[in-house]
Amino acid sequence: MNAVTQYPALPADQALRFYAERLARETDCTDVASALHSDNPGFVLLDVRSASLYAAGHAQGALSLPHREINAARMADYPAETLFVVYCAGPHCNGAHKAALKLSELGFSVKEMLGGWLGWQAEALPVGQSATRAVANGCGC
């Protein structure tokens, strides 16, 4: 017995439900970048950090909408069936969770992009602006 085998893995049927639910609410940076290069990605990518952090650097194809500014009036132009993918600074920031909650409360479907801006940079994916690392890595939420 070791630290890995000390606790048994989930039975396959439970694991199936668990991982399907995770994929229903999460996506990753590489999948987002790949989808954005297609003719119809099927979602709107929102950078929910502050406008100043967005200006310093953001995922190419993302729109800036700080989570504090998400409300019914701001979202009124989007069809109810719009899927949003949200990201913030990274794992140390909960701005994406706040944005996902607000969008869900407004009736929209939403997924979180795991890793956020830090994950996007780590994958060396296309950026919308040049960013200085000290500024762009802050939470700003």
Side-chain angles (χ1 to χ4, degrees):
M1 179 124 359
N2 60 48
V4 174
T5 61
Q6 178 179 358
Y7 301 100
L10 287 174
D13 62 328
Q14 291 179 26
L16 176 66
R17 282 191 301 276
F18 175 81
Y19 290 110
E21 287 175 7
R22 282 196 69 175
L23 291 172
R25 63 181 182 261
E26 302 170 347
T27 188
D28 70 23
C29 300
T30 302
D31 289 346
V32 168
S34 177
L36 286 172
H37 285 1
S38 70
D39 290 335
N40 183 15
F43 61 88
V44 174
L45 180 61
L46 295 179
D47 182 321
V48 300
R49 301 173 301 149
S50 69
S52 62
L53 289 176
Y54 175 87
H58 57 272
Q60 189 174 57
L63 302 177
S64 177
L65 182 57
H67 69 83
R68 288 182 177 86
E69 298 177 20
I70 295 173
N71 58 48
R74 256 333 259 281
M75 307 312 294
D77 290 337
Y78 289 98
E81 65 275 4
T82 303
L83 168 63
F84 291 97
V85 173
V86 298
Y87 74 90
C88 58
H92 61 286
C93 176
N94 68 1
H97 301 145
K98 293 172 184 175
L101 177 63
K102 289 180 180 183
L103 290 165
S104 297
E105 288 172 342
L106 293 170
F108 292 104
S109 296
V110 61
K111 288 188 175 195
E112 177 184 357
M113 184 178 79
L114 296 178
W117 175 237
L118 290 176
W120 192 271
Q121 290 178 302
E123 298 282 336
L125 296 167
V127 297
Q129 291 272 352
S130 294
T132 59
R133 204 151 181 83
V135 173
N137 287 348
C139 179
C141 290

